[in-house]
Amino acid sequence: MKARAKVMNESPEDMTRLLLAVAQARDVAAFEALFRHYGPKVKTYMTRQVRSTQIAEELMQETMMAVWNKAALFDPERGNVSAWIFTIARNLCISSFRKQNRPEFDPNDPAFVPDEVVAADAELQSRQEADRLYTAMNALPDEQKELLKRSFFGEVPHSALAEEYGLPLGTVKSRIRMAVAKLRKSLEDRL
Amino acid sequence: MSVKHHVSDGLLAAYATGELAEGWSLAIATHLALCPECRVRLARFETAAGELMEETAPDVAGIDQSWDAMRRRLVGAEVHAFPVQPAVSAPVHTAVIPEPLRSYLGSDVDGLKWKALGRGASHIMIKTGDSETSVRLLRIPAGSPVPEHSHGGRELTLVLAGCFTDGSERFARGDLEEADETVEHQPIAGAGEDCICLAVTDAPLRFKSRLLRLVQPILGI
Ligand SMILES: [Zn+2]
Ligand SMILES: [Zn+2]
């Protein structure tokens, strides 16, 4: 399968197709499309974390290199491409920049308690969840969405947000809490 | 076994976005190994984080040079697996301490070298890469109380064997208790089996007993 280098509407399905083409056919054109779409976003994320465009560029390159190398490990049944690339970027930031380990569970560990849901259900569920999440996030009032976005990645401390918006710290915190709660609820309501 | 006390939204979101220091993350990751429910919630937070990253303003400056550099690296790039920490093996079905904690300890329960804390309790300090948290494995003798205390900061306690009660709540294997400055409590280990738990704090506990406060620095708690 050859994917086109240009992504037309950049839907999550397009991204999945591109990443599968990288995994299965080592398709460089597909990878270029992913790189041009995600590279600049990962770079923005990294710049916020490390506050240096040069280090951010290096970490972005490492992230995308890992995407190329680990493409075969991506499982479209378990989540979408943006979440998968985000976790790679996050872990690189923790290990390379913060010099800490990222403790994670190991599904092959004998003490691991496996899921009870069968695979087919889980697949359907995760797709539906991704759709619902997308809808739910876009349905949030702008002020909540904005605060959620800016606080979610620890980009700006709550106290700085409070100052910027001229709001009491408690209000900022409660708006963020409300946004998270709404997201959760809209997901759970439709389970 | 089913877990009753889970990771709160705030902590789980912070774990998902990578904000938490290693010590807190260790307790949460170990809970996640025992709790399918929280793994589903984690996946949601990671999806949300991916979605938010998708919506950030892209930094497209120099993207063509970036891609050139990337393409040069692809030539001759080999598919290599990411360095995986060697896991400490445990016999199938009898592992008590799940990964990632077992690797931090270097052994499952039977190989641990406990240090006495007094009153039959013992502990093992666990080293992490962060300087914010203090992480230890605690063993409280069956039926014994942990001295009554409050907290200078946050405290996460994850039960791995046995159980403890705190007021009217019972915490068993996999259960996570979150406490903060506002909580003063006296957990009591259940009868029948020693309670082994992972405890993560970012400030020394404040014991009610003056004697305990005096020996605190000596015991390293
Ligand atoms: Zn849980
Ligand atoms: Zn406590």
Side-chain angles (χ1 to χ4, degrees), chain A residues 125-145:
Chain A
Q125 202 177 324
S126 75
R127 284 206 188 137
Q128 288 171 342
E129 252 165 31
D131 289 350
R132 277 200 298 267
L133 189 70
Y134 188 80
T135 320
M137 291 217 341
N138 283 310
L140 285 175
D142 285 345
E143 59 192 35
Q144 280 178 23
K145 197 167 155 191

Side-chain angles (χ1 to χ4, degrees), chain B residues 136-215:
Chain B
R136 78 191 66 228
L137 200 66
L138 269 176
R139 197 180 63 198
I140 313 295
S144 296
V146 173
E148 190 168 358
H149 63 271
S150 59
H151 314 86
R154 181 196 277 152
E155 177 187 56
L156 294 184
T157 311
L158 174 69
V159 179
L160 296 158
C163 69
F164 70 80
T165 50
D166 190 354
S168 58
E169 304 275 10
R170 182 175 180 277
F171 295 81
R173 179 168 166 83
D175 282 327
L176 183 78
E177 182 178 42
E178 265 178 60
D180 61 17
E181 296 90 338
T182 62
V183 176
E184 181 174 287
H185 65 169
Q186 180 169 39
I188 301 169
E193 191 185 349
D194 287 359
C195 177
I196 297 177
C197 50
L198 176 71
V200 186
T201 50
D202 58 357
L205 302 183
R206 296 191 188 123
F207 291 104
K208 222 173 178 183
S209 136
R210 205 164 67 89
L211 182 64
L212 261 173
R213 286 204 300 274
L214 282 173
V215 298

Side-chain angles (χ1 to χ4, degrees), chain A residues 94-126:
Chain A
I94 293 171
S95 61
S96 301
F97 182 70
R98 230 194 292 157
K99 309 275 184 240
Q100 287 182 19
N101 278 319
R102 167 73 182 176
E104 288 191 318
F105 56 82
D106 171 6
N108 299 313
D109 177 37
F112 181 81
V113 177
D115 306 358
E116 278 154 23
V117 204
V118 288
D121 287 355
E123 173 190 350
L124 186 68
Q125 202 177 324
S126 75

